[in-house]
Amino acid sequence: MASTTDHPGEQPAQDPIKLTAIRDTALSVDEILRAVGDDAAGGTALFVGTVRNHDGGADVDELGYSCHPSAEDEMRRIAEKVVADFPVRALAAAHRVGDLRVGDLAVVVAVSCAHRGEAFEACRRLIDDIKHDVPIWKHQRFSDGTEEWVGV
């Protein structure tokens, strides 16, 4: 019997980056999950970031995201690094810009791999690196009338 690592499904896919996008329209979990669907994937990890109603002890009413023109290219670079470091079958990531309300989807990322552990690790790296490296800034507006920029 051949080693399990010899099977093509255990190897990274030829073109695993299915979607990287910065959008000013609502994000779809279903779209991201469809993008990472792969018959050779035994594990799919998904992260959905939503606008919460508080930050630093203050009530958040709404926020706005803006980005540098290079943001989508930087997101692609991060995706390329993740697929270089993990045996990714498929990867998709989208981040929202514009004005959002509490409960709106701000970011959706997913990774599918042959095994769940790899999928979890790759998805964690993807979202952490996007949040750390992609030039996207958050402008929070609080219930008390104050506001602040985050990530600037």
Side-chain angles (χ1 to χ4, degrees):
M1 179 187 265
S3 167
T4 59
T5 58
D6 292 336
H7 190 280
E10 294 289 333
Q11 305 303 315
Q14 289 293 337
D15 187 17
I17 301 172
K18 305 303 182 186
L19 171 69
T20 55
I22 306 290
R23 296 194 174 148
D24 62 359
T25 57
L27 302 181
S28 166
V29 171
D30 290 339
E31 176 191 20
I32 299 298
L33 283 174
R34 277 192 307 274
V36 299
D38 186 300
D39 289 343
T44 299
L46 170 75
F47 175 81
V48 179
T50 57
V51 177
R52 66 179 177 266
N53 67 358
H54 68 281
D55 190 39
D59 292 332
V60 173
D61 284 342
E62 60 184 14
L63 56 82
Y65 283 103
S66 58
C67 68
H68 189 272
S70 68
E72 200 162 315
D73 291 339
E74 184 63 17
M75 187 181 290
R76 174 72 188 202
R77 186 193 66 73
I78 290 166
E80 289 169 351
K81 180 80 169 109
V82 170
V83 301
D85 291 346
F86 296 91
V88 172
R89 301 297 310 164
L91 175 152
H95 201 296
R96 179 85 187 270
V97 293
D99 292 331
L100 286 80
R101 296 209 160 284
V102 171
D104 286 348
L105 303 183
V107 61
V108 181
V109 303
V111 176
S112 61
C113 296
H115 304 282
R116 71 179 178 276
E118 298 160 341
F120 278 125
E121 290 177 35
C123 190
R124 173 85 186 229
R125 168 88 61 79
L126 178 61
I127 187 58
D128 286 351
D129 289 356
I130 287 171
K131 296 301 287 178
H132 186 264
D133 295 338
V134 177
I136 297 173
W137 309 288
K138 179 169 55 173
H139 182 211
Q140 298 186 114
R141 293 178 282 283
F142 299 102
S143 296
D144 65 4
T146 61
E147 54 188 54
E148 77 173 343
W149 283 93
V150 179
V152 180

